[in-house]
Amino acid sequence: MSENYVAPGQQRYLRACMVCSIVMTHQRFRDEGCPNCEEFLHLQGSSEQIESCTSSVFEGLIAIADPTKSWIAKYNRLDGYVRGTYANKVLGQLPDEIRTMLEEEYRIQYIPRDGSATEAD
């Protein structure tokens, strides 16, 4: 996978995954899918799925070189993901059918990245 670099002229095309909050261009999501969530979101090649599962509205950027050693990665629930640039907050909600699929088929508890819900204890 290529590095997560975005040329200055491409910044208006940035989107953030609503599940893991990685930030990439729409084109990269279409070409490569989400490097953390592709297994269950299936973004690669699907503009409709990208529109549903990513958001162009996000706040703050976090660059993580080594997610396993970064305290900020752990604090933001990003440890275990690939290195890259992540959004601090991603505004938007996954569609209900995708959220249900995550929880029932993949046993993944979806915690919104917009700050509207806190992690269950």
Side-chain angles (χ1 to χ4, degrees):
M1 183 175 134
S2 60
E3 291 299 316
N4 201 13
Y5 170 77
V6 178
Q10 298 295 308
Q11 291 171 343
R12 72 179 133 209
Y13 303 111
L14 290 177
R15 299 189 67 82
C17 176
M18 287 189 214
V19 176
C20 70
S21 77
I22 194 163
V23 176
M24 302 189 322
T25 62
H26 187 281
Q27 181 69 38
R28 279 199 59 202
F29 276 117
R30 192 174 58 227
D31 292 347
E32 302 170 18
C34 178
N36 300 307
C37 308
E38 189 59 23
E39 174 186 343
F40 45 85
L41 289 183
H42 310 292
L43 301 180
Q44 189 173 12
S46 175
S47 289
E48 181 180 314
Q49 197 71 348
I50 293 168
E51 292 296 321
S52 296
C53 300
T54 68
S55 176
S56 61
V57 183
F58 54 88
E59 296 177 14
L61 292 174
I62 304 165
I64 299 179
D66 189 349
T68 61
K69 295 181 180 176
S70 169
W71 69 268
I72 197 72
K74 184 173 180 141
Y75 179 80
N76 284 289
R77 301 181 329 268
L78 302 173
D79 50 334
Y81 290 155
V82 301
R83 66 186 183 147
T85 304
Y86 292 83
N88 199 31
K89 263 188 179 180
V90 181
L91 301 179
Q93 293 281 326
L94 280 177
D96 289 336
E97 64 272 5
I98 294 174
R99 194 179 319 170
T100 301
M101 179 208 41
L102 282 175
E103 293 172 355
E104 291 179 0
E105 289 182 36
Y106 293 95
R107 305 285 186 238
I108 296 171
Q109 179 187 4
Y110 172 64
I111 300 171
R113 296 269 179 187
D114 64 358
S116 65
T118 57
E119 189 169 0
D121 292 324

